[in-house]
C-alpha cells in the first residue's frame, strides 16, 4: 500500500527527495505546503517542478480520502462524511463555540468493537483501525473545509481510540510537535469507553493530553445494561486508571455520562456518580442521549436538571454537553451507518 504524505517526518521526506534525485530543499517546501498552508494535493503546490509533483502523486496518498457528504445543522455544526481509499466511511464534525473557537471531533476506527448498546458507531462492529495518516488527513480536511486550523480536537467520533494506540499516538505526536501541526497537548482530548490497558499506555506518554472516560453508570449492574461484557472493564479498575492518569499526565480526567431515561438517570445514581467523581478528582460531563433508533430514550428536561443538581450537591464539578448538532443524524456514527446501508 502507498504511504501517506501527511505522516512523513522531515527526515523521511528529505531522504525520499534525495532518493528520487531532487535537492533537499524540496522536502522543506513540501513540508511548508502541508504544515503551514494545510494542503497536501501536489497539483496545488505551485512552486514545485511538475516532475516532483508527479512523483509525489505516484508514491504517496495525497490525500487518501475525500469528502462524500456534508451535513450542516442550524446551530453551526458541520459533519463531514469521508470516503476512505478502500471505500469505507468515517465521520468528522466541526463544532464552533460562541467565542469563535472551533473544535474538531475526529474518528479513530472504522466502526467500533465495544458495541455500546445506544451507539450507532458500534452497531456493525469494527471494520478496521484508521492509520496514522488517515487520522491526520481527517484533521487536515476539516481545516480545509473551515479555512483555518481548529483550536481544539476531541477524539469522540467513531471508534475506541485507545484500542488503536499504535496509530493514534503517532498522530497525536504529529499534531502537537512544534515542527508538526503545533497544537498544544492541552487542546486535545481522547475519549475512551474505559479500556484500561489503553488508559495506562496513554498515561505512560506523560503528556498533557486530556482524557475523557465514558462511565455512563456508577455501578456494575447498570453499566452492564449499556456496555456489553467483551470489552467492559470493572469500574474500580477504570477509576484506578483515572487516578494513574491524573498523576502521570497532571490533568483532571472527565467522566462522561450519556443520560438514558429509566436506565441511569435517577437521583440516587446521580449522587453515586457525584461521589465517585469527587473522590477521584474528576469532572462529570453529562450528555443527553441523541436518538440512534435504539429502544433507549433521552430523559425529560426536568429529569436531566434534577440529575445535574443531585450530582452537583455532592461537591463534584458537573457540566452538561452543550446540545449541538442535535438535529437529524446528530449522534456520531449515524451518517456512516446510513452510507453503508445505501451501499449494501
Ligand atoms: N469510544 C469512545 C469515543 C467515541 S464515543 C468512547 O466511548 O468514549 C464519544 C462519546 O459520545 C461517548 O461518551 C459516547 O458515550 C457518546 N455517545 C455516542 N453515541 C451517543 C448518542 N447517541 N447519544 C449521546 N451520546 C453518545
Ligand atoms: Fe464504541 Fe464509544 Fe460508541 Fe461505545 S460509545 S460503541 S466505545 S464509539
Amino acid at each position: 500500500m502507498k504511504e501517506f504524505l501527511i505522516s512523513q517526518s522531515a527526515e523521511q521526506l528529505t531522504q525520499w527527495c534525495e532518493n528520487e534525485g531532487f535537492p533537499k530543499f524540496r522536502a522543506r517546501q513540501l513540508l511548508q505546503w502541508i504544515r503551514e498552508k494545510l494542503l497536501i494535493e501536489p497539483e496545488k503546490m505551485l512552486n514545485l517542478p511538475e516532475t516532483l509533483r508527479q512523483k509525489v502523486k505516484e508514491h504517496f496518498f495525497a490525500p487518501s480520502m475525500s469528502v462524500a457528504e456534508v451535513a450542516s445543522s442550524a446551530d453551526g455544526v458541520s459533519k463531514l462524511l469521508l470516503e476512505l481509499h478502500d471505500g469505507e466511511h468515517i465521520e468528522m464534525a466541526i463544532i464552533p463555540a460562541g467565542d469563535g473557537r472551533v473544535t474538531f471531533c475526529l474518528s479513530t476506527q472504522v466502526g467500533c468493537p465495544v458495541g455500546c448498546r445506544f451507539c450507532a458507531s458500534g452497531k456493525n462492529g469494527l471494520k478496521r483501525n484508521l492509520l496514522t495518516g488517515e487520522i491526520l488527513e481527517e484533521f487536515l480536511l476539516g481545516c480545509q473545509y473551515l479555512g483555518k486550523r481548529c483550536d481544539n480536537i476531541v477524539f469522540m467520533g467513531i471508534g475506541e481510540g485507545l484500542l488503536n494506540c499504535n496509530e493514534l499516538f503517532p498522530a497525536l505526536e504529529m499534531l502537537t510537535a512544534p515542527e508538526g501541526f503545533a497544537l498544544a497537548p492541552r487542546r486535545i482530548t481522547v475519549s475512551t469507553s474505559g479500556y484500561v490497558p489503553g488508559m495506562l499506555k496513554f498515561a505512560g506518554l506523560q503528556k498533557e493530553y486530556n482524557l475523557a472516560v465514558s462511565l455512563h453508570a456508577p455501578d456494575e449492574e447498570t453499566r452492564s445494561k449499556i456496555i456489553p461484557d467483551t470489552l467492559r472493564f470493572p469500574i474500580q479498575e477504570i477509576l484506578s486508571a483515572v487516578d494513574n492518569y491524573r498523576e502521570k499526565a497532571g490533568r483532571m480526567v472527565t467522566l462522561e455520562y450519556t443520560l438514558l431515561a429509566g436506565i441511569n438517570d435517577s437521583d440516587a445514581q446521580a449522587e453515586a456518580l457525584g461521589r465517585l467523581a469527587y473522590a477521584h478528582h474528576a469532572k462529570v460531563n453529562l450528555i443527553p442521549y441523541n436518538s440512534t433508533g435504539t429502544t433507549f430514550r433521552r430523559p425529560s428536561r426536568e429529569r436531566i436538571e434534577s440529575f445535574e443538581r443531585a450530582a452537583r450537591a455532592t461537591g463534584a464539578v458537573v457540566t452538561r454537553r452543550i446540545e449541538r448538532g442535535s438535529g437529524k443524524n446528530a449522534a456520531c456514527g449515524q451518517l456512516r451507518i446510513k452510507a453503508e446501508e445505501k451501499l449494501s
Side-chain angles (χ1 to χ4, degrees):
M1 197 172 72
K2 281 192 194 182
E3 289 182 53
F4 291 78
L5 181 62
I6 195 167
S7 50
Q8 299 298 302
S9 66
E11 296 70 42
Q12 286 171 319
L13 266 190
T14 309
Q15 188 64 55
W16 181 81
C17 280
E18 282 193 326
N19 292 348
E20 297 293 331
F22 294 100
K24 274 186 186 170
F25 76 92
R26 294 294 184 196
R28 221 169 32 242
Q29 286 180 310
L30 270 165
L31 285 169
Q32 265 170 359
W33 280 108
I34 304 167
R35 296 176 187 177
E36 289 166 33
K37 305 215 171 61
L38 304 166
L39 280 177
I40 47 172
E41 299 86 346
E43 56 275 20
K44 294 187 183 159
M45 301 179 177
L46 298 175
N47 61 353
L48 301 184
E50 179 58 28
T51 44
L52 175 56
R53 286 192 254 159
Q54 279 293 343
K55 274 268 185 290
V56 170
K57 197 133 194 92
E58 282 164 26
H59 190 80
F60 295 105
F61 278 128
S64 70
M65 57 176 79
S66 59
V67 180
E69 192 183 318
V70 178
S72 299
S73 54
D75 54 12
V77 175
S78 299
K79 281 199 164 195
L80 307 188
L81 178 71
L82 303 172
E83 180 165 339
L84 309 183
H85 64 84
D86 57 358
E88 296 290 351
H89 290 87
I90 53 167
E91 287 171 33
M92 70 89 54
I94 301 172
I95 309 165
D99 61 1
R101 288 182 192 263
V102 180
T103 298
F104 283 179
C105 178
L106 304 184
S107 297
T108 56
Q109 298 184 305
V110 183
C112 180
V114 182
C116 301
R117 295 189 175 94
F118 59 82
C119 175
S121 302
K123 204 172 150 192
N124 298 335
L126 176 73
K127 278 282 174 63
R128 66 172 177 85
N129 281 325
L130 289 183
L131 300 169
T132 302
E134 293 177 304
I135 297 172
L136 291 169
E137 282 189 21
E138 273 184 86
F139 161 75
L140 194 95
L141 285 181
C143 294
Q144 291 182 350
Y145 183 84
L146 181 67
K148 61 171 187 180
R149 261 161 227 252
C150 61
D151 302 286
N152 302 295
I153 296 178
V154 295
F155 285 93
M156 294 186 184
I158 299 170
E160 169 53 53
L162 293 186
L163 277 168
N164 188 19
C165 295
N166 287 348
E167 301 296 327
L168 176 61
F169 291 178
L172 295 177
E173 185 58 40
M174 180 73 89
L175 287 168
T176 53
E179 71 284 4
F181 291 102
L183 267 93
R186 284 167 175 248
R187 302 220 158 263
I188 299 183
T189 300
V190 173
S191 178
T192 177
S193 58
Y195 180 65
V196 169
M199 292 169 71
L200 298 177
K201 263 197 226 167
F202 192 45
L205 297 178
Q206 301 203 329
K207 294 276 177 67
E208 289 190 318
Y209 300 120
N210 301 298
L211 175 64
V213 179
S214 298
L215 199 66
H216 305 321
D219 62 90
E220 246 22 278
E221 197 197 334
T222 311
R223 205 160 185 265
S224 70
K225 292 182 193 160
I226 302 170
I227 308 180
D229 291 348
T230 346
L231 287 165
R232 196 183 72 247
F233 280 72
I235 293 174
Q236 276 317 318
E237 282 184 34
I238 294 174
L239 292 174
S240 300
V242 163
D243 291 338
N244 176 62
Y245 192 80
R246 198 187 57 252
E247 282 153 23
K248 293 264 171 62
R251 302 292 286 159
M252 220 177 164
V253 174
T254 299
L255 302 179
E256 289 167 286
Y257 199 97
T258 296
L259 283 162
L260 305 163
I263 306 282
N264 65 356
D265 65 341
S266 72
D267 284 353
Q269 286 162 322
E271 278 163 32
L273 171 68
R275 279 196 298 272
L276 285 183
Y278 189 81
H280 293 272
H281 309 285
K283 296 175 269 193
V284 171
N285 189 29
L286 301 176
I287 315 170
Y289 171 62
N290 275 312
S291 178
T292 49
T294 64
T295 53
F296 292 109
R297 292 281 164 267
R298 171 192 287 221
S300 67
R301 195 148 53 86
E302 297 72 39
R303 183 88 298 279
I304 295 173
E305 279 164 9
S306 173
F307 188 96
E308 193 174 343
R309 268 195 308 276
R312 207 168 266 148
T314 62
V317 178
V318 181
T319 55
R320 196 185 321 168
R321 183 189 276 186
I322 318 157
E323 297 200 29
R324 287 179 165 274
S326 54
K328 253 190 356 195
N329 308 320
C332 214
Q334 283 179 296
L335 281 182
R336 168 175 167 263
I337 290 288
K338 275 217 315 207
E340 279 199 341
E341 282 165 1
K342 245 186 269 171
L343 292 175
S344 61

